[in-house]
């Protein structure tokens, strides 16, 4: 299943919207340049509190229930000039998991490899100016980490369309990559297990 199918099943953008995304004006290019450059960190981390909050899996300022502390993630930003990724880690809601503690909201972290140039080009596109009538509600995009050959990572901004939804070009570029690894992590306990009856 492609990345797009995991987070936007049934999402369909009108043809007119796709044509609108192709237009690129000078003010929008300037807006892209005004976006702060993403900070390079030592490794990607889908379980940082900032990533979990961005995905709506925990409230802002809270951490997940993995039991292991995770460093804060920098704000997402523009892909730094000269940063050459060799893979992308996709952090996305992953349904639920069950263990002896009960039922957990889960996160899926998947690594994808291949020709990343189209993805980086799509991520460098500016977001469209908001406005007009939107036929669908905005959706939350997965959180991405671009990773270079040394394992260093940046959190790129996923540009949005005029309705605030993730631009289709990024999802298309992600779907063209090969998934090489995937893992599910428990994030938040939603249904505690029933206590075992004492004899």
């Amino acid at each position: 299943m492609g990345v797009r199918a995991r987070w936007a099943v049934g999402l369909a953008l009108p043809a007119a919207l796709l044509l609108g995304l192709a237009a690129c004006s000078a003010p929008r290019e300037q807006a892209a340049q005004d976006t702060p450059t993403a900070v390079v960190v030592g490794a990607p981390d889908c379980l940082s509190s900032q990533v979990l909050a961005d995905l709506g899996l925990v409230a802002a300022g809270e951490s997940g229930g993995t039991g292991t502390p995770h460093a804060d993630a920098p704000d997402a930003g523009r892909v730094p000039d000269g940063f050459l990724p060799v893979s992308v880690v996709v952090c996305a809601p992953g349904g639920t998991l069950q263990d002896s503690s009960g039922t957990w909201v889960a996160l899926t972290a998947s690594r994808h490899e291949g020709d990343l140039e189209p993805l980086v080009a799509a991520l460098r596109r500016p977001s469209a100016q908001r406005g007009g009538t939107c036929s669908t509600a905005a959706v939350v995009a997965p959180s991405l980490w671009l990773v270079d050959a040394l394992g260093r990572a940046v959190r790129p901004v996923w540009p949005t369309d005029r309705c605030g939804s993730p631009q289709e070009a990024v999802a298309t570029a992600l779907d063209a990559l090969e998934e090489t690894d995937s893992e599910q992590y428990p994030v938040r306990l939603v249904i505690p297990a029933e206590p075992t009856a004492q004899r």
Side-chain angles (χ1 to χ4, degrees):
M1 180 182 290
V3 173
R4 178 176 7 203
R6 288 196 183 128
W7 60 273
V9 173
L11 177 64
L13 296 179
L17 177 55
L18 291 176
L19 292 174
L21 293 178
C24 194
S25 62
R28 289 171 59 200
E29 291 291 349
Q30 184 61 42
Q33 292 300 318
D34 290 343
T35 302
T37 301
V39 175
V40 180
V41 297
D45 185 2
C46 285
L47 295 175
S48 69
S49 60
Q50 290 80 8
V51 171
L52 295 178
D54 286 351
L55 296 174
L57 297 178
V58 299
E62 292 183 1
S63 59
T66 60
T68 303
H70 291 263
D72 288 343
D75 291 336
R78 186 165 50 87
V79 180
D81 295 335
F83 186 83
L84 300 175
V86 296
S87 65
V88 57
V89 173
V90 181
C91 315
T96 59
L97 282 174
Q98 290 186 328
D99 63 11
S100 59
S101 298
T103 302
W104 297 76
V105 169
L107 173 141
T108 297
S110 57
R111 185 177 295 269
H112 303 255
E113 298 178 354
D115 180 7
L116 269 71
E117 286 189 14
L119 175 61
V120 173
L123 290 168
R124 289 187 187 277
R125 295 175 62 175
S127 291
Q129 292 185 351
R130 298 291 293 271
T133 301
C134 298
S135 59
T136 58
V139 297
V140 177
S143 186
L144 306 179
W145 290 94
L146 296 176
V147 186
D148 70 7
L150 298 177
R152 301 176 303 177
V154 298
R155 288 184 71 202
V157 168
W158 187 314
T160 55
D161 62 26
R162 65 181 178 85
C163 293
S165 293
Q167 285 190 14
E168 187 82 355
V170 178
T172 299
L174 279 173
D175 279 347
L177 301 174
E178 179 185 358
E179 182 179 298
T180 58
D181 187 35
S182 180
E183 192 162 354
Q184 243 183 339
Y185 298 94
V187 171
R188 178 166 48 89
L189 186 64
V190 289
I191 305 177
E194 300 245 349
T196 304
Q198 297 290 328
R199 292 191 176 185

